Amino acid sequence: MSTQLITSIESMQSISRQWRQAGLRIAFVPTMGNLHAGHLRLVEQAKKNADRLVVSIFVNPLQFGPNEDLDLYPRTLDADMAKLKVLAVDVVFAPDESKFYKKEKNMTTFVEVPGLSDTLCGASRPRHFRGVTTVVNKLFNIVQPDVAVFGTKDYQQFAIIQQMVSDLAMPIILQGVDTVREKDGLAMSSRNAYLSEVQRALAPRLYINLQIMRERVIFGELNYESLIRQTREQLSDEGFKVDYLEIRDATNLSREATKSDKWVILTAVWLGETRLIDNILL
Ligand code: PAF
């Protein structure tokens, strides 16, 4: 079967309904397009779980702040389609913005996960996660997937979506896939394209600093506060502007340990006008 491009909500819903009636299992990868190897890894993972595979491409205005890069965000539908054809994706759902949110300005229904959405990235990007959970919820209603796959580079996003699916009893299995990195360690991201040559050369130092932090913990560093302070200073000296650098419980992102006693280091930094995020499990 060839890859079908669908732009209307009704057509997507009708195809999903037919598949479900035929007892077929649907896997779904939501994206904002401009696909790189990280996205393709999600698609490969999704393929393992299902009879039918849907990838959405939609640059969601609700998750961008007023001064963020919505207009600049790369839109590369033809190139994305070509990549997804190679992976034998069944349907690419790429709705028109004007049809997807008929009256975005008058929208009154939002899906929110307070608490988890207000910290870390949510603290510097108010309403960002409300935009994410609202669009993901809407996409789930349209695609009706059995399984949905997300990258864990957006660690907080994945935690929030897990909370939403659990709280609202959505009958969907979520899978997180590890971050795919460039050879020099930089986490793949569409926003890496914004970096100048000099910034691009510096960017891998972010992950190197996270790895150094992890090693210090492995070798017995117990004072997380001072470890964070020193790494923040190091990153600023190297030319990053640190938005946040924190060590949180890996299961619920709280500052206190839960029973699982698994920790994650999470960070967001600015390199010039470009905001990069990354994380590493301890
Ligand atoms: O991670 C992303 O690319 C976006 O936040 C998502 C999940 C596709 C929602 O727009």
Side-chain angles (χ1 to χ4, degrees):
M1 209 176 91
S2 61
T3 304
Q4 215 181 330
L5 175 65
I6 291 186
T7 57
S8 113
I9 293 180
E10 292 72 25
S11 311
M12 184 70 247
Q13 277 171 327
S14 141
I15 289 182
S16 287
R17 201 176 308 118
Q18 286 165 31
W19 285 343
R20 294 184 76 86
Q21 278 164 0
L24 299 170
R25 196 174 151 82
I26 305 172
F28 176 43
V29 182
T31 81
M32 299 209 299
N34 193 233
L35 305 178
H36 51 64
H39 296 109
L40 303 184
R41 184 79 59 83
L42 304 182
V43 175
E44 279 159 8
Q45 174 63 33
K47 220 168 147 177
K48 291 185 193 153
N49 293 297
D51 305 305
R52 292 291 179 270
L53 179 51
V54 179
V55 176
S56 66
I57 295 180
F58 181 60
V59 182
N60 171 35
L62 285 189
Q63 69 189 78
F64 288 79
N67 300 316
E68 292 185 358
D69 55 343
L70 175 62
D71 295 335
L72 209 69
Y73 201 87
R75 287 151 172 95
T76 52
L77 184 61
D78 292 345
D80 293 344
M81 274 301 286
K83 289 174 189 166
L84 296 173
K85 273 185 186 155
V86 173
L87 293 179
V89 167
D90 295 287
V91 166
V92 174
F93 176 54
D96 239 37
E97 190 186 309
S98 60
K99 289 195 193 119
F100 193 81
Y101 294 125
K102 284 195 190 90
K103 299 187 186 101
E104 191 199 318
K105 303 258 169 343
N106 301 331
M107 251 184 79
T108 53
T109 307
F110 295 95
V111 179
E112 270 185 274
V113 182
L116 263 184
S117 299
D118 305 324
T119 176
L120 303 166
C121 282
S124 28
R125 303 184 70 191
R127 297 200 177 166
H128 165 67
F129 287 118
R130 181 179 88 163
V132 172
T133 39
T134 301
V135 80
V136 169
N137 197 312
K138 185 159 178 170
L139 288 166
F140 283 174
N141 287 336
I142 297 166
V143 176
Q144 298 285 312
D146 297 281
V147 181
V149 182
F150 293 84
T152 55
K153 192 196 85 160
D154 297 290
Y155 196 94
Q156 184 180 11
Q157 168 174 281
F158 189 55
I160 291 168
I161 292 169
Q162 281 176 308
Q163 183 78 37
M164 172 184 82
V165 165
S166 158
D167 285 353
L168 299 181
M170 297 177 167
I172 299 170
I173 295 168
L174 296 178
Q175 293 192 340
V177 173
D178 289 347
T179 305
V180 178
R181 297 181 182 280
E182 304 286 355
K183 281 200 191 74
D184 57 15
L186 176 64
M188 286 195 184
S189 162
S190 299
R191 293 193 166 99
N192 293 348
Y194 302 156
L195 299 171
S196 70
E197 217 174 298
V198 174
Q199 291 167 338
R200 176 62 190 81
L202 177 60
R205 293 289 313 163
L206 181 61
Y207 186 54
I208 291 171
N209 275 290
L210 294 185
Q211 286 174 304
I212 294 170
M213 281 179 90
R214 178 167 68 180
E215 267 166 41
R216 287 182 57 184
V217 172
I218 291 171
F219 284 105
E221 174 68 81
L222 291 172
N223 188 341
Y224 287 179
E225 241 173 71
S226 111
L227 180 61
I228 288 171
R229 192 173 0 90
Q230 287 169 28
T231 311
R232 283 186 78 109
E233 280 168 16
Q234 176 68 26
L235 285 167
S236 321
D237 289 348
E238 291 184 17
F240 296 91
K241 197 169 144 237
V242 180
D243 178 357
Y244 65 80
L245 174 68
E246 299 210 25
I247 301 181
R248 296 281 184 107
D249 181 276
T251 40
N252 65 4
L253 297 183
S254 73
R255 288 197 170 86
E256 289 82 43
T258 56
K259 265 189 261 151
S260 72
D261 201 28
K262 270 172 57 188
W263 297 89
V264 58
I265 309 175
L266 302 132
T267 189
V269 298
W270 290 94
L271 262 184
E273 300 290 297
T274 307
R275 192 168 181 278
L276 303 176
I277 59 171
D278 207 344
N279 66 79
I280 193 167
L281 283 166
L282 287 180

